[in-house]
Amino acid sequence: MGSGSGAAAERPLIEVDGAEKVFSVRRRTGRLRRTRQEVRAVDGITFRVPRGEMVGYIGPNGAGKSTTIKMLTGILTPSGGRLRVAGIDPARERTRLARRIGVVFGQRTTLWWDLPLRDSYELVRRMYRVPDAVYRANLDRCVELLDLAPLLAVPVRQLSLGQRMRGDIAAALLHDPEVLYLDEPTIGLDVISKAKVRGFLRELNAERGTTVLLTTHDLTDIEQLCRRVMVIDHGHLIYDGGLEGLRAAGDGERTLVVDLERELPPIEGIPGARTVKVDGPRQWLAFPAARSAAPLVTAVAERYPLVDLSVREPDIEEVIARLYAAGGRRPEPGRESGRQPG
Ligand SMILES: Nc1ncnc2c1ncn2[C@@H]1O[C@H](COP(=O)(O)OP(=O)(O)OP(=O)(O)O)[C@@H](O)[C@H]1O
Ligand SMILES: [Mg+2]
């Protein structure tokens, strides 16, 4: 209603403004007593995803990732805020949206348990009325890139987890969706299957320009696939930006590793750095990730017999763990309990 058509081409494919989802749950609070409690699963998040981007969506268990994805597919109706995917309000026009999106929930299959993979795909084709040529092309491509040929005749329930996941990803793509939501697509997969799935997604994004929103607990997925990452915690978006910025946002520290001529007491008196480990002639000095290593190197070299050195980037796992911990302490405005610090 009233939206100018001229700007349609530039409009971000995914638009989320102040989205909220509140679940009302009944909790047992005594022997016979039950009380209603509100769970603010998603508590006012805003982001945009332009067409063609591949964005990582991470956060600890219960942060609100799956709830966000369910709102973006129309499975869940938001309690507040505004969501648009390809200009469509997901909750109001779920069926129309379904033709434009693909979804993979790693935790459960969308395939028919008793049917061979091929028959499941046939049902998907009919459900979405996929034109024959499109269906053929997409199926052939998925079969080739995801190694599905030997699995097509196998009933889904007989597939291993990794085989099933590849089968599910193909099913989500047969109707040529513009957006693919992946909720933990590599969960439980071995390293080879993970690599296969990642390679496939990279190619899908690069060659077809499919927009991908990817939820995962495996940070290697993010490092290998996404330039942009969003971090959600307790329903709040606590970070949205590049992986490099994430290292800084998590108060990441870099480490200067120095090899001295001989074993010496821990290095002292280097401004902005502290010695965190000593092993023979080798010592490790931690310093803020955002600072330059050059003055430290100079200071160490002036006072100590330096033989060799290297700088280590903060470990992304560590950075994220720190960010999650900080997010958990964050006050939550608008909540009764949020008024009191603690
Ligand atoms: N249908 C529901 N009814 C009540 N509470 C729910 C429902 N679905 C989710 N929640 C709650 O909402 C919060 C967010 O859940 P969500 O599944 O979105 O987390 P998540 O980030 O996907 O976590 P995980 O990494 O464990 O998959 C949790 O506290 C969860 O218990
Ligand atoms: Mg989840």
Coordinates of all heavy atoms in Angstrom, one line a residue, residues 247-286:
R247 N 36.1 -9.2 16.4 CA 37.3 -9.5 17.2 C 37.5 -8.3 18.2 O 37.8 -8.5 19.4 CB 38.5 -9.7 16.4 CG 38.5 -11.0 15.7 CD 39.9 -11.5 15.2 NE 39.9 -12.9 14.9 CZ 39.8 -13.3 13.6 NH1 39.6 -12.5 12.7 NH2 39.8 -14.6 13.4
A248 N 37.4 -7.1 17.6 CA 37.6 -5.9 18.5 C 36.5 -5.7 19.5 O 36.7 -5.4 20.6 CB 37.8 -4.7 17.6
A249 N 35.2 -5.9 19.0 CA 34.1 -5.7 19.8 C 34.1 -6.6 21.1 O 33.6 -6.3 22.1 CB 32.8 -6.0 19.1
G250 N 34.7 -7.8 20.9 CA 34.7 -8.7 22.0 C 35.9 -8.4 22.9 O 36.3 -9.3 23.7
D251 N 36.4 -7.2 22.9 CA 37.6 -6.8 23.6 C 38.7 -7.8 23.4 O 39.4 -8.2 24.3 CB 37.3 -6.8 25.1 CG 36.5 -5.6 25.5 OD1 36.6 -4.6 24.8 OD2 35.7 -5.7 26.5
G252 N 38.8 -8.2 22.2 CA 39.8 -9.3 21.9 C 41.2 -8.8 22.1 O 41.5 -7.6 22.1
E253 N 42.1 -9.7 22.5 CA 43.5 -9.4 22.7 C 44.3 -10.2 21.6 O 43.9 -11.3 21.3 CB 43.9 -9.9 24.1 CG 43.3 -9.0 25.2 CD 43.9 -9.4 26.5 OE1 44.1 -10.6 26.8 OE2 44.3 -8.5 27.3
R254 N 45.3 -9.5 21.2 CA 46.3 -10.2 20.3 C 47.4 -10.6 21.2 O 47.6 -10.1 22.3 CB 46.7 -9.3 19.2 CG 45.6 -9.0 18.2 CD 46.1 -8.4 16.9 NE 46.5 -7.1 17.1 CZ 47.3 -6.5 16.1 NH1 47.7 -7.1 15.1 NH2 47.6 -5.2 16.3
T255 N 48.2 -11.5 20.7 CA 49.4 -12.0 21.5 C 50.6 -11.8 20.7 O 50.7 -12.2 19.6 CB 49.2 -13.5 21.8 OG1 47.8 -13.7 22.3 CG2 50.2 -14.0 22.9
L256 N 51.6 -11.2 21.4 CA 52.9 -11.1 20.8 C 53.8 -12.2 21.4 O 53.9 -12.3 22.6 CB 53.6 -9.7 21.2 CG 55.0 -9.4 20.7 CD1 55.0 -9.3 19.2 CD2 55.5 -8.2 21.4
V257 N 54.2 -13.1 20.5 CA 55.0 -14.2 20.9 C 56.5 -13.9 20.6 O 56.8 -13.6 19.5 CB 54.6 -15.5 20.2 CG1 55.4 -16.7 20.8 CG2 53.1 -15.7 20.3
V258 N 57.3 -13.8 21.7 CA 58.7 -13.5 21.4 C 59.6 -14.6 21.9 O 59.4 -15.3 22.8 CB 59.1 -12.2 22.2 CG1 58.3 -11.0 21.7 CG2 58.9 -12.4 23.7
D259 N 60.7 -14.8 21.1 CA 61.7 -15.8 21.4 C 62.9 -15.0 21.8 O 63.5 -14.2 21.0 CB 62.0 -16.7 20.2 CG 60.9 -17.7 19.9 OD1 60.3 -18.1 20.9 OD2 60.7 -18.0 18.7
L260 N 63.4 -15.2 23.1 CA 64.6 -14.5 23.6 C 65.8 -15.4 23.4 O 65.7 -16.6 23.1 CB 64.3 -14.2 25.0 CG 63.1 -13.4 25.3 CD1 62.9 -13.1 26.8 CD2 63.0 -12.0 24.6
E261 N 66.9 -14.8 23.6 CA 68.2 -15.6 23.4 C 68.3 -16.7 24.4 O 68.9 -17.7 24.2 CB 69.4 -14.6 23.6 CG 70.0 -14.2 22.3 CD 71.0 -13.1 22.5 OE1 71.7 -13.1 23.5 OE2 71.1 -12.3 21.6
R262 N 67.7 -16.5 25.6 CA 67.8 -17.5 26.7 C 66.6 -17.3 27.6 O 65.8 -16.4 27.5 CB 69.1 -17.3 27.5 CG 69.2 -15.9 28.0 CD 70.5 -15.6 28.7 NE 70.5 -14.3 29.3 CZ 70.8 -13.1 28.6 NH1 71.0 -13.2 27.3 NH2 70.7 -12.0 29.2
E263 N 66.5 -18.3 28.5 CA 65.4 -18.3 29.4 C 65.6 -17.1 30.4 O 66.7 -16.9 30.9 CB 65.4 -19.6 30.2 CG 64.1 -20.0 30.7 CD 64.2 -21.5 31.2 OE1 64.7 -22.3 30.5 OE2 63.7 -21.7 32.3
L264 N 64.5 -16.3 30.6 CA 64.6 -15.1 31.4 C 63.3 -15.0 32.3 O 62.3 -15.6 31.9 CB 64.7 -13.9 30.6 CG 66.1 -13.6 30.0 CD1 66.1 -12.5 29.0 CD2 67.2 -13.3 31.1
P265 N 63.3 -14.3 33.3 CA 62.1 -14.1 34.1 C 61.0 -13.4 33.2 O 61.4 -12.8 32.2 CB 62.5 -13.1 35.2 CG 64.0 -13.1 35.3 CD 64.5 -13.5 33.9
P266 N 59.7 -13.5 33.6 CA 58.7 -12.9 32.7 C 59.0 -11.4 32.4 O 59.5 -10.7 33.2 CB 57.4 -13.0 33.6 CG 57.7 -14.1 34.5 CD 59.2 -14.1 34.8
I267 N 58.8 -11.1 31.1 CA 59.0 -9.7 30.7 C 58.1 -8.7 31.4 O 57.0 -9.0 31.6 CB 58.8 -9.6 29.1 CG1 59.8 -10.4 28.4 CG2 58.7 -8.1 28.7 CD1 59.5 -10.5 26.9
E268 N 58.7 -7.6 31.9 CA 58.0 -6.6 32.7 C 58.1 -5.3 32.1 O 59.1 -5.0 31.3 CB 58.5 -6.6 34.1 CG 57.9 -7.7 35.0 CD 58.5 -7.6 36.4 OE1 59.4 -6.8 36.6 OE2 58.0 -8.4 37.2
G269 N 57.2 -4.4 32.4 CA 57.4 -3.0 32.1 C 57.2 -2.6 30.6 O 57.7 -1.6 30.2
I270 N 56.4 -3.4 29.9 CA 56.1 -3.0 28.5 C 54.7 -2.4 28.6 O 53.7 -3.1 28.9 CB 56.1 -4.2 27.6 CG1 57.4 -5.0 27.7 CG2 55.8 -3.8 26.1 CD1 58.7 -4.2 27.2
P271 N 54.6 -1.1 28.4 CA 53.3 -0.4 28.5 C 52.2 -1.0 27.6 O 52.5 -1.3 26.4 CB 53.6 1.0 28.1 CG 55.0 1.2 28.1 CD 55.6 -0.1 27.9
G272 N 51.1 -1.3 28.1 CA 49.9 -1.8 27.3 C 50.0 -3.3 27.1 O 49.1 -3.9 26.4
A273 N 51.0 -4.0 27.7 CA 51.1 -5.4 27.4 C 51.4 -6.2 28.8 O 52.0 -5.6 29.7 CB 52.2 -5.8 26.4
R274 N 50.9 -7.4 28.8 CA 51.2 -8.2 30.0 C 51.6 -9.6 29.6 O 51.1 -10.2 28.7 CB 50.1 -8.2 31.0 CG 48.8 -8.7 30.5 CD 47.7 -8.7 31.5 NE 46.8 -9.9 31.3 CZ 46.0 -10.1 30.3 NH1 46.0 -9.1 29.4 NH2 45.3 -11.2 30.1
T275 N 52.6 -10.1 30.3 CA 53.1 -11.4 30.0 C 52.2 -12.5 30.5 O 51.8 -12.4 31.7 CB 54.5 -11.6 30.6 OG1 55.3 -10.5 30.1 CG2 55.1 -12.9 30.1
V276 N 51.7 -13.3 29.6 CA 50.7 -14.3 30.1 C 51.2 -15.7 30.1 O 50.6 -16.6 30.7 CB 49.4 -14.2 29.2 CG1 48.6 -12.9 29.4 CG2 49.8 -14.4 27.7
K277 N 52.4 -15.9 29.5 CA 52.9 -17.3 29.5 C 54.4 -17.2 29.3 O 54.9 -16.4 28.5 CB 52.2 -18.1 28.4 CG 52.5 -19.6 28.4 CD 51.7 -20.3 27.4 CE 52.2 -21.6 27.0 NZ 51.6 -22.2 25.8
V278 N 55.1 -18.1 29.9 CA 56.6 -18.3 29.7 C 56.9 -19.7 29.5 O 56.4 -20.6 30.3 CB 57.4 -17.7 30.9 CG1 58.9 -17.9 30.6 CG2 57.1 -16.3 31.2
D279 N 57.6 -20.1 28.5 CA 58.0 -21.5 28.3 C 59.4 -21.5 27.7 O 59.6 -21.2 26.5 CB 57.0 -22.1 27.3 CG 57.3 -23.6 27.1 OD1 58.2 -24.1 27.8 OD2 56.8 -24.2 26.2
G280 N 60.4 -21.6 28.6 CA 61.8 -21.6 28.2 C 62.1 -20.2 27.7 O 61.6 -19.2 28.3
P281 N 62.8 -20.0 26.6 CA 63.1 -18.7 26.1 C 61.9 -18.0 25.4 O 62.0 -16.9 25.0 CB 64.2 -19.0 25.1 CG 64.0 -20.4 24.7 CD 63.4 -21.1 25.8
R282 N 60.8 -18.7 25.3 CA 59.6 -18.2 24.6 C 58.7 -17.5 25.6 O 58.3 -18.2 26.6 CB 58.9 -19.2 23.7 CG 57.7 -18.7 23.0 CD 57.2 -19.7 22.0 NE 58.1 -19.7 20.8 CZ 57.8 -20.3 19.6 NH1 56.7 -21.0 19.5 NH2 58.6 -20.2 18.6
Q283 N 58.2 -16.3 25.3 CA 57.2 -15.7 26.2 C 56.1 -15.1 25.3 O 56.2 -14.7 24.2 CB 57.9 -14.5 26.9 CG 59.1 -15.0 27.7 CD 59.4 -14.1 28.9 OE1 58.6 -13.3 29.3 NE2 60.5 -14.3 29.6
W284 N 54.9 -15.1 26.0 CA 53.6 -14.6 25.3 C 53.2 -13.3 26.0 O 52.9 -13.3 27.2 CB 52.6 -15.7 25.4 CG 52.7 -16.9 24.5 CD1 52.0 -17.1 23.3 CD2 53.6 -18.0 24.7 NE1 52.4 -18.3 22.8 CE2 53.4 -18.9 23.6 CE3 54.5 -18.4 25.7 CZ2 54.0 -20.1 23.4 CZ3 55.2 -19.6 25.5 CH2 55.0 -20.4 24.4
L285 N 53.0 -12.3 25.2 CA 52.5 -11.0 25.8 C 51.1 -10.7 25.2 O 51.0 -10.5 24.0 CB 53.5 -9.9 25.5 CG 54.7 -9.8 26.4 CD1 55.8 -10.8 25.8 CD2 55.3 -8.4 26.3
A286 N 50.1 -10.5 26.0 CA 48.8 -10.1 25.5 C 48.7 -8.6 25.5 O 49.2 -7.9 26.3 CB 47.7 -10.7 26.4

